Amino acid sequence: MKTLTDTFGRKFPYIRLSITDVCNYKCTYCLPEGYKKMPGDTRNFMTGEEISRLTKALSELGVCKIRLTGGEPTVRKDFFDILKNMKKNSNIPKITMTTNGYQLDKIAKRLHESGLDGINISIDSLNRETFKKLTGHDRLLQILEGIKILQGLNFKNIKVNAVLLKGINDTYEEFEEFGDFIKNNKIDFRFIELMQTGDNLDFFKKNHVSSKIFKDYLKKNKWVYQTYGKDAGPSLNYIHPEYKGKFGLIAPYSKDFCKTCNRLRITSRGDLRLCLFGNTGISLRHLLQNDSQKDELVDLIIKQLHLKKESHHLELGKTGITPNLSSTGG
Ligand code: SAM
């Protein structure tokens, strides 16, 4: 079987697949003015058919997990068609998604019925007012309700992500609030260290907090580091005997972050991105036009992988061609 291996020996069983750039939230660190269509942009995101061809090719390359992302993946009208088709026809064992959960209470049952294998929900604050200020939407309660519905359906793989932000969620009291949330709740709660992107330099300078503060908290409170599997995401996970849920930390500025990189990104317009902060996007679109192109597509992806760099050098402020994560697929 063909596999995706780069020149540094890293393997890539995990793809983050964006299906739209559009997001309905206005997160202060990502799209503070909301999603704006650029002049001339036709929003020609990959069609369901193109996505289907792509995922079949990826399965031939040993990919065993695809995370649907965006933008906000659920704003796409054919979101459930895409998901169901992937579950039925792609041969990829795990299909998961990242969402802001804005209609989770309404779609939880359908997500479960569609066979989704895992969900990451972004909740930067458990305080309703703060949540509203950060996202522009007073939706926290409905999202929490959606999580309860998923749990009632025995949906197993639920993760909550929060971006670590100065003055918002970076104190021991706030960490404890999140701890209370996962104490009797089998949910993984992970902090993502705020990343600089092309558009957010000022915000980044004012609001970036090193992930060390959370690492120190975990150590002080006897959380124990747990190792992870081959298709796991970038999170360092921690367990505690008194908690049903886990804590996690995604620390892209840490020294060896890229050494364990196991994922590639494909944008909603069909560009292969070897790194979230790389300088090139390689279009796959021309090879998604009919089924007979599959072998050519597989070969192109393998060939491009040789260009993957050892590290992103984000610590030097090199954000590549990513203006915000919504445009690339976070
Ligand atoms: N709309 C979906 C959501 O909200 O989860 C998926 C896309 S969003 C870009 C994916 C994740 O990236 C979210 O958890 C979001 O908080 C995170 N994110 C966006 N910009 C970020 C940044 N500059 N640094 C760190 N995380 C960021």
Side-chain angles (χ1 to χ4, degrees):
M1 189 195 205
K2 292 175 175 168
T3 54
L4 289 171
T5 307
D6 74 359
T7 48
F8 303 96
R10 295 173 295 196
K11 295 197 183 329
F12 298 88
Y14 176 12
I15 301 287
R16 300 229 177 138
L17 176 59
S18 175
I19 57 171
T20 179
D21 292 1
V22 180
C23 189
N24 53 342
Y25 273 24
K26 297 180 176 177
C27 294
T28 45
Y29 48 82
C30 187
L31 290 177
E33 309 293 327
Y35 174 78
K36 290 222 166 61
K37 205 172 134 181
M38 297 308 244
D41 182 4
T42 50
R43 290 195 196 178
N44 62 338
F45 305 130
M46 281 185 288
T47 63
E49 227 182 358
E50 288 173 316
I51 292 171
S52 172
R53 291 193 186 106
L54 176 62
T55 52
K56 280 183 194 151
L58 292 172
S59 90
E60 292 202 359
L61 286 164
V63 168
C64 58
K65 175 170 158 186
I66 293 184
R67 174 174 297 287
L68 294 174
T69 184
E72 171 50 37
T74 61
V75 301
R76 249 185 97 138
K77 291 206 173 65
D78 58 351
F79 169 75
F80 279 101
D81 298 331
I82 293 170
L83 173 59
K84 279 194 215 152
N85 187 356
M86 283 172 85
K87 279 303 298 176
K88 206 165 145 212
N89 300 320
S90 71
N91 233 352
I92 306 272
K94 270 194 222 167
I95 309 291
T96 64
M97 72 183 290
T98 299
T99 176
N100 62 29
Y102 82 100
Q103 50 173 350
L104 192 58
D105 52 337
K106 298 201 178 68
I107 63 169
K109 194 158 172 275
R110 265 184 98 186
L111 287 173
H112 178 59
E113 285 166 359
S114 307
L116 186 74
D117 296 290
I119 189 165
N120 284 13
I121 305 154
S122 304
I123 305 178
D124 294 327
S125 173
L126 288 171
N127 176 297
R128 188 173 166 183
E129 273 311 305
T130 311
F131 181 92
K132 187 176 160 194
K133 245 194 267 163
L134 278 172
T135 62
H137 287 266
D138 184 13
R139 297 251 186 193
L140 178 65
L141 301 185
Q142 286 94 319
I143 298 167
L144 296 176
E145 179 56 27
I147 292 178
K148 272 200 200 133
I149 297 172
L150 281 176
Q151 288 179 310
L153 294 164
N154 211 13
F155 189 96
K156 292 270 176 338
N157 185 2
I158 304 177
K159 293 174 182 153
V160 170
N161 293 332
V163 179
L164 185 61
L165 296 167
K166 193 175 282 172
I168 298 290
N169 55 21
D170 64 333
T171 63
Y172 276 24
E173 290 85 74
E174 275 126 7
F175 299 159
E176 239 126 65
E177 243 180 70
F178 285 118
D180 290 345
F181 179 62
I182 57 167
K183 187 143 196 177
N184 293 305
N185 233 340
K186 214 169 170 312
I187 287 179
D188 293 2
F189 175 86
R190 299 104 53 88
F191 270 115
I192 312 174
E193 189 171 342
L194 176 68
M195 292 176 261
Q196 184 189 333
T197 61
D199 284 352
N200 76 359
L201 182 60
D202 278 356
F203 185 93
F204 175 82
K205 279 188 187 155
K206 285 189 198 126
N207 297 286
H208 175 258
V209 183
S210 163
S211 57
K212 185 176 177 305
I213 184 170
F214 187 56
K215 229 176 183 175
D216 290 347
Y217 168 84
L218 293 171
K219 216 188 224 169
K220 236 184 205 159
N221 290 281
K222 305 203 167 29
W223 285 81
V224 178
Y225 174 66
Q226 202 189 28
T227 50
Y228 45 91
K230 71 168 181 171
D231 67 350
S235 171
L236 307 171
N237 295 320
Y238 294 80
I239 49 174
H240 192 294
E242 287 162 29
Y243 290 73
K244 283 195 180 150
K246 292 179 196 167
F247 262 139
L249 178 61
I250 300 169
Y253 289 92
S254 62
K255 196 172 114 280
D256 291 331
F257 187 72
C258 300
K259 276 201 176 138
T260 53
C261 183
N262 62 352
R263 56 207 169 275
L264 302 172
R265 287 181 162 79
I266 297 173
T267 71
S268 57
R269 295 160 206 263
D271 276 13
L272 174 66
R273 296 280 171 89
L274 301 173
C275 171
L276 182 54
F277 298 105
N279 280 315
T280 46
I282 301 118
S283 182
L284 305 175
R285 202 79 186 260
H286 60 293
L287 295 178
L288 298 175
Q289 302 315 308
N290 65 65
D291 295 346
S292 67
Q293 295 173 298
K294 191 168 67 188
D295 291 346
E296 231 183 305
L297 176 62
V298 162
D299 287 344
L300 177 64
I301 298 173
I302 292 176
K303 219 161 84 201
Q304 290 302 323
L305 199 54
H306 294 304
L307 302 174
K308 186 166 166 73
K309 302 238 164 66
E310 189 171 15
S311 174
H312 54 42
H313 295 306
L314 192 58
E315 72 285 1
L316 304 176
K318 294 190 176 166
T319 57
I321 51 172
T322 293
N324 51 62
L325 262 53
S326 197
S327 69
T328 308

